[in-house]
Amino acid sequence: MKIGRRAQAARPKKGVTLQSERRNLQIAFLLPLFLSLLILVLLPMASLFGLSFTNYKMTSSQFRFTGLENYINLFTDKGFRNAVKNTLFMVTFGVLIQMVLGVAAALAIQRMKHLRGLVQALIVMPMVIPPVIAGLIWRILLIPKYGGVHALLYGLGIQDAPAWLTDPVSARWVIVLVSVWEWMPFVVLFVIAALDSLPVSPFEAARIDGAGFLQELWYLTLPLIRPVLSMVLVFRVVEGLKIFPLVFSLTQGGPGNNTEELTYFAYSEGFVKFKIGYASASSMLMFGVLLVLIILFYGRKKKDAV
């Protein structure tokens, strides 16, 4: 009897075995993800962080540790301050217009009874175009005297079209409006999905009480879809900071440096002036801003959930 009890006690329980097998299976599935994250993201970020504390240049194989010198110089660099100003302008106005027009378009599409699927398919088309290609398309359309936009204005009776991409003011607005054209569909898709999931009863009760469209929108629709709008806003701000493809294909930072934003500034410092250490410090500052935005978003989301 004692031998039988010992053998039974030594035998692993079925539940424990299944649990360990599941754990091993989860590790096996997640291991490739962790390895790819380590190789493709964490190691490059670590090397970039290390280079930001050096004076490394691509034209020289020798470099030395400089501490916080690159970061201090950035805050006194007029070019960096100009890039920050341009980035704030492009991101603020670009994301604001995308959100407003995206919500308006989603409300209009959601109320359509016919051709809704076709309109959604057409409005999403700019989003599937690579940003560099989108920039080249609009650069061709905006060619003075020969571009499609000039031909359209000429047909409307406007003889002298402005030099869109060589004027400091209009060039920044062109980048903003092209980003709106390309990424407003992202907002539309998420808002339509949120609108379709809203309960019907609160709106029926509001209509019975005599509420109009604007009252429904302000007191019911927008509060109910606020979590989705917050998520989309963060996504668009984060993506808006990565506007380099449009700037590169449309203006290449010009005229002068009036459209040079943070990513293009880092590119110019690193691969035009070959100051890799300085460019790395600029990139790390931008990464820090993105990290703060993501932490704030998840903190707000957790607070709303509570």
Side-chain angles (χ1 to χ4, degrees):
M1 289 294 292
K2 290 183 179 181
I3 296 175
R5 289 176 180 175
R6 289 176 183 174
Q8 187 175 3
R11 188 182 303 165
K13 294 182 180 179
K14 187 176 181 181
V16 176
T17 304
L18 289 175
Q19 187 177 3
S20 61
E21 288 179 356
R22 287 176 183 173
R23 190 186 304 112
N24 293 335
L25 188 62
Q26 290 172 352
I27 293 174
F29 278 117
L30 291 174
L31 188 59
L33 175 63
F34 286 133
L35 288 176
S36 61
L37 182 66
L38 176 66
I39 296 172
L40 300 177
V41 178
L42 297 181
L43 289 179
M45 286 298 298
S47 62
L48 191 71
F49 183 68
L51 287 172
S52 69
F53 296 102
T54 69
N55 66 341
Y56 176 59
K57 294 184 178 181
M58 292 180 66
T59 55
S60 175
S61 59
Q62 296 181 351
F63 59 96
R64 60 182 176 81
F65 178 78
T66 57
L68 296 175
E69 182 179 335
N70 287 331
Y71 294 94
I72 295 172
N73 291 337
L74 279 172
F75 289 105
T76 58
D77 189 340
K78 292 182 179 180
F80 180 76
R81 293 202 299 267
N82 176 71
V84 172
K85 182 182 69 174
N86 291 335
T87 303
L88 289 174
F89 177 88
M90 295 176 189
V91 173
T92 301
F93 285 101
V95 173
L96 181 62
I97 297 172
Q98 288 172 37
M99 295 297 294
V100 173
L101 294 183
V103 172
L107 288 168
I109 294 172
Q110 200 253 351
R111 290 170 174 263
M112 285 184 176
K113 296 181 179 179
H114 306 288
L115 301 177
R116 176 177 170 176
L118 177 62
V119 173
Q120 281 187 241
L122 291 175
I123 205 170
V124 168
M125 287 182 65
M127 194 174 66
V128 302
I129 301 175
V132 173
I133 304 301
L136 291 175
I137 290 172
W138 280 98
R139 187 171 183 176
I140 293 171
L141 290 174
L142 293 170
I143 293 175
K145 297 183 180 181
Y146 305 106
V149 174
H150 178 81
L152 178 62
L153 294 175
Y154 187 82
L156 295 174
I158 301 175
Q159 301 292 332
D160 298 323
W164 305 99
L165 299 177
T166 55
D167 180 75
V169 177
S170 62
R172 292 200 297 179
W173 278 108
V174 165
I175 294 173
V176 168
L177 295 178
V178 172
S179 69
V180 170
W181 170 80
E182 185 173 19
W183 292 111
M184 187 189 74
F186 181 87
V187 181
V188 173
L189 288 178
F190 277 86
V191 175
I192 286 179
L195 292 173
D196 288 340
S197 64
L198 292 180
V200 179
S201 55
F203 293 89
E204 292 178 344
R207 293 188 191 103
I208 292 173
D209 292 336
F213 171 75
L214 292 179
Q215 290 174 315
E216 287 184 18
L217 177 64
W218 186 256
Y219 293 106
L220 285 176
T221 305
L222 293 179
L224 288 172
I225 65 172
R226 188 181 65 177
V228 174
L229 291 178
S230 299
M231 180 191 67
V232 172
L233 178 64
V234 172
F235 272 114
R236 288 311 313 138
V237 170
V238 171
E239 287 296 320
L241 289 170
K242 298 184 289 185
I243 202 172
F244 171 83
L246 284 181
V247 174
F248 183 81
S249 56
L250 279 169
T251 63
Q252 294 188 348
N257 61 351
N258 286 282
T259 59
E260 187 178 71
E261 39 75 50
L262 285 172
T263 50
Y264 196 90
F265 175 83
Y267 163 79
S268 177
E269 293 295 323
F271 298 101
V272 177
K273 300 177 183 178
F274 304 115
K275 298 192 294 183
I276 299 297
Y278 199 59
S280 300
S282 173
S283 301
M284 291 307 303
L285 282 178
M286 187 173 175
F287 173 73
V289 172
L290 292 174
L291 191 61
V292 169
L293 287 175
I294 293 171
I295 292 173
L296 289 175
F297 167 70
Y298 280 106
R300 179 64 181 272
K301 186 177 179 182
K302 187 176 180 181
K303 184 178 179 180
D304 292 340
V306 174

